[in-house]
Amino acid sequence: MQTLYGETHANAKICTALKVNPNATARSLAVDKLLAEEQIEGLSYRGAGKLIQQSNHLKIAPGTIHDYVSQTGAFIRITADEERSAIFKASDYTEEGFLENIQEAQQRFGIIKLKAHPLATELAKVLGMFNTKLEADWLQMPKAKRPLQPQRVSSIAFLPTLECWDGKLPLAYICVDEVMVKKQKTMRKRSRKPQHQDRRKRKLTPRDRLRQKNQAKAKLRKERQERSEFAQKCTVSYTEDRPGVSTTSITVKWDGKLQLLIASSVKEGFKTLIAFLLHNGLINRHMVFFIDSAGVLKTQIDKYFSYCSYQINLDWYHVTEQIDSMIGRGTAGSHEERRAYRDAVKKALWYFNYKDALQYIDKLIAEHSTKERSVILQSAKNYINNKVTLFSCYAMRKYLGLPNSSNTIERYNGLTVSNRQKHRGCSWSNLGSNSQTLLSSTNLNKELDKLLKSANYEDYTIDLFKAA
């Protein structure tokens, strides 16, 4: 090597086995880690390039960072798909995540599906103790603030939503959520400058009309071709008319451990979840799902886990969010009055007294008898009636020390999606959004160093489905 001070010799190792893109610019592992960390911190491509140039004196274009994130996300997705297929094949599952022989697999994995709830008698005793505690708390309240009657839980219909509160069966808490970000358009709208036309319009000849018609057809064909080429670059086709790009986030919590799983759709998310449970020996546990009001989540859980022991609980945070929205828009009055209406409905649902909540909403419909508000309050009644099988006695769960909310998944949604992608003016493609989220989730699972080594060195492998 020729330098300013003469000729020097040094050993250099060049890695030619780039798995992601063989035509990519060769960079050191430290630079790759720097690019990944800047994106994980939530900086834009332009902001990350400026910060790297100021702090490390490296001039990296925003397009280079964008390509790096897309390539790394593609490597994670391809590696995960290959590992998932190998896990399914070793466990006699189909590529879609279904069992070929359910009875034989249940015996092999030791899956015990609870067909009945033998703890009804014990739960009735605990329920009596809980009602006694509620009555004692009611007596200790000041008379001025004391309600006419103490709160009571009168039904045990929520028994299917209580998981093994005696601690005899091993549990796995699973929170599922679907996050949407603004979708990127294939063609951006740009303002056109007004064209000053001559007042004397020139008469078009048949040849001019034919030429304009052919030009319009050619322009339309070009736009369709660009749209199809753009869709092929994304993980999901853009033919579906959806308002945004979806990302499915799943957290699995068991025995003090926590793992975050990311997928580009609900279907892919549950396939990834099944592979993770199989790989870590958790498929035979009683699974407690926490979901929001999206009906597709319940449908897919019933479809993929029909042979397992599981239950589905509606997250209390999303219940309060729905009730606050509908009751607030369906009632009139001051801020304090409407808050009292919302609190009354939520308090009834907290103690699983959904019939009292429905009666109270009927009372509100009679008092606020306008057409628009009645429709909104009726939708609140429909929401309660449709989701009553997913409601639990949240007060009882708190008394037993059981979780009521999927706050874990909401926190991870902020770290993986919202902090980077939900900014004003941002719009994303399926490929870019999914790649960003996969990179952030890999860092949260403490596997970023392993991932970068696996992506750059052929003799280094990574197990994305093994719990940390």
Side-chain angles (χ1 to χ4, degrees):
M1 182 183 296
Q2 190 68 30
T3 65
L4 296 175
Y5 302 100
E7 188 175 349
T8 182
H9 298 277
N11 295 327
K13 180 181 179 181
I14 300 177
C15 177
T16 59
L18 294 175
K19 292 184 180 181
V20 177
N21 186 359
N23 299 320
T25 305
R27 292 184 296 267
S28 66
L29 191 62
V31 175
D32 279 355
K33 187 175 181 180
L34 180 63
L35 295 179
E37 288 177 347
E38 295 300 337
Q39 284 305 297
I40 290 166
E41 292 296 328
L43 294 175
S44 63
Y45 297 132
R46 185 179 290 106
K50 289 182 179 179
L51 184 62
I52 292 173
Q53 185 176 1
Q54 293 174 359
S55 59
N56 299 84
H57 304 288
L58 294 173
K59 191 173 183 180
I60 300 178
T64 303
I65 305 176
H66 174 270
D67 293 340
Y68 167 75
V69 173
S70 300
Q71 293 164 8
T72 308
F75 171 76
I76 300 173
R77 187 166 52 254
I78 293 172
T79 306
D81 290 344
E82 292 175 354
E83 292 182 7
R84 187 176 66 188
S85 299
I87 293 172
F88 284 161
K89 186 176 181 180
S91 304
D92 295 333
Y93 274 69
T94 63
E95 286 293 330
E96 295 298 321
F98 298 106
L99 275 172
E100 296 179 353
N101 191 342
I102 294 179
Q103 294 181 354
E104 187 271 336
Q106 285 179 336
Q107 296 177 358
R108 178 156 49 94
F109 295 121
I111 299 174
I112 302 175
K113 186 175 181 181
L114 297 179
K115 297 182 180 180
H117 299 275
L119 303 177
T121 306
E122 289 80 358
L123 180 62
K125 296 179 181 178
V126 178
L127 188 61
M129 297 169 56
F130 180 62
N131 286 331
T132 303
K133 180 180 179 300
L134 290 177
E135 187 174 357
D137 295 341
W138 175 74
L139 291 173
Q140 293 179 359
M141 294 176 63
K143 291 185 178 181
K145 298 182 179 181
R146 184 188 301 176
L148 297 178
Q149 294 180 353
Q151 287 288 343
R152 291 184 61 85
V153 181
S154 56
S155 173
I156 60 171
F158 59 89
L159 181 59
T161 63
L162 285 182
E163 66 274 10
C164 315
W165 49 271
D166 57 348
K168 292 182 180 179
L169 280 179
L171 302 174
Y173 288 95
I174 303 173
C175 301
V176 188
D177 195 12
E178 189 178 16
V179 193
M180 301 288 289
V181 296
K182 187 177 180 181
K183 185 177 179 179
Q184 199 173 72
K185 303 295 182 182
T186 55
M187 300 293 292
R188 292 178 179 263
K189 293 183 179 180
R190 293 181 173 87
S191 60
R192 298 180 179 179
K193 294 182 179 180
Q195 298 179 358
H196 299 283
Q197 298 180 355
D198 191 1
R199 292 182 179 179
R200 295 173 297 176
K201 294 183 178 179
R202 186 172 63 89
K203 187 176 181 180
L204 295 177
T205 63
R207 180 176 295 179
D208 293 336
R209 293 193 187 95
L210 181 62
R211 184 172 62 252
Q212 289 184 359
K213 186 177 180 181
N214 293 335
Q215 290 175 355
K217 288 183 178 180
K219 183 179 179 181
L220 182 62
R221 284 196 300 269
K222 183 179 179 181
E223 290 180 355
R224 289 178 178 175
Q225 184 179 0
E226 290 178 350
R227 193 179 298 114
S228 62
E229 291 175 355
F230 182 80
Q232 291 175 2
K233 298 179 182 179
C234 304
T235 56
V236 182
S237 177
Y238 264 61
T239 56
E240 56 186 20
D241 187 14
R242 302 194 67 183
V245 180
S246 64
T247 300
T248 302
S249 305
I250 302 175
T251 56
V252 186
K253 189 176 182 180
W254 78 103
D255 298 341
K257 299 180 181 179
L258 182 66
Q259 187 78 8
L260 174 64
L261 306 175
I262 294 294
S264 58
S265 64
V266 176
K267 181 180 177 181
E268 292 294 320
F270 281 113
K271 288 164 63 176
T272 303
L273 173 61
I274 291 175
F276 177 81
L277 296 175
L278 287 170
H279 197 50
N280 294 276
L282 304 175
I283 197 68
N284 59 348
R285 294 198 171 205
H286 181 75
M287 287 169 273
V288 183
F289 287 94
F290 281 96
I291 63 173
D292 56 11
S293 303
V296 64
L297 297 179
K298 182 182 183 304
T299 303
Q300 294 296 327
I301 291 172
D302 294 334
K303 179 180 177 181
Y304 280 96
F305 295 92
S306 59
Y307 56 91
C308 296
S309 175
Y310 72 96
Q311 68 185 60
I312 304 176
N313 286 18
L314 203 59
D315 177 27
W316 176 247
Y317 169 76
H318 290 93
V319 173
T320 58
E321 194 176 44
Q322 292 287 335
I323 295 299
D324 286 343
S325 174
M326 290 184 286
I327 302 299
R329 290 183 292 113
T331 55
S334 63
H335 179 72
E336 290 76 12
E337 290 175 346
R338 285 186 294 162
R339 183 171 59 184
Y341 299 150
R342 296 194 299 263
D343 292 344
V345 178
K346 290 189 293 184
K347 189 174 184 180
L349 295 177
W350 175 258
Y351 292 98
F352 196 68
N353 296 325
Y354 64 93
K355 294 182 180 179
D356 295 343
L358 294 174
Q359 293 176 1
Y360 189 80
I361 294 176
D362 287 333
K363 180 182 175 182
L364 293 178
I365 293 176
E367 294 177 355
H368 306 270
S369 57
T370 61
K371 186 176 180 180
E372 295 181 356
R373 289 171 183 161
S374 298
V375 171
I376 296 174
L377 292 176
Q378 186 62 41
S379 66
K381 288 185 61 178
N382 296 337
Y383 170 77
I384 295 175
N385 287 322
N386 295 334
K387 304 297 181 181
V388 67
T389 56
L390 303 180
F391 287 153
S392 181
C393 182
Y394 299 99
M396 186 73 173
R397 291 183 63 86
K398 184 178 180 181
Y399 175 72
L400 296 173
L402 301 176
N404 274 326
S405 179
S406 58
N407 51 3
T408 306
I409 195 69
E410 296 297 334
R411 180 168 62 90
Y412 278 111
N413 284 341
L415 294 174
T416 57
V417 181
S418 302
N419 290 352
R420 176 63 179 91
Q421 300 183 31
K422 288 197 174 184
H423 293 289
R424 185 176 182 181
C426 283
S427 59
W428 293 86
S429 67
N430 288 310
L431 178 63
S433 175
N434 190 242
S435 299
Q436 282 280 352
T437 313
L438 286 173
L439 192 63
S440 300
S441 64
T442 306
N443 177 65
L444 292 173
N445 290 330
K446 301 179 181 180
E447 294 178 347
L448 182 61
D449 292 337
K450 297 179 183 179
L451 169 70
L452 296 178
K453 291 179 181 179
S454 177
N456 287 277
Y457 300 103
E458 193 174 22
D459 56 347
Y460 197 94
T461 58
I462 182 174
D463 189 356
L464 294 175
F465 286 88
K466 189 66 177 177

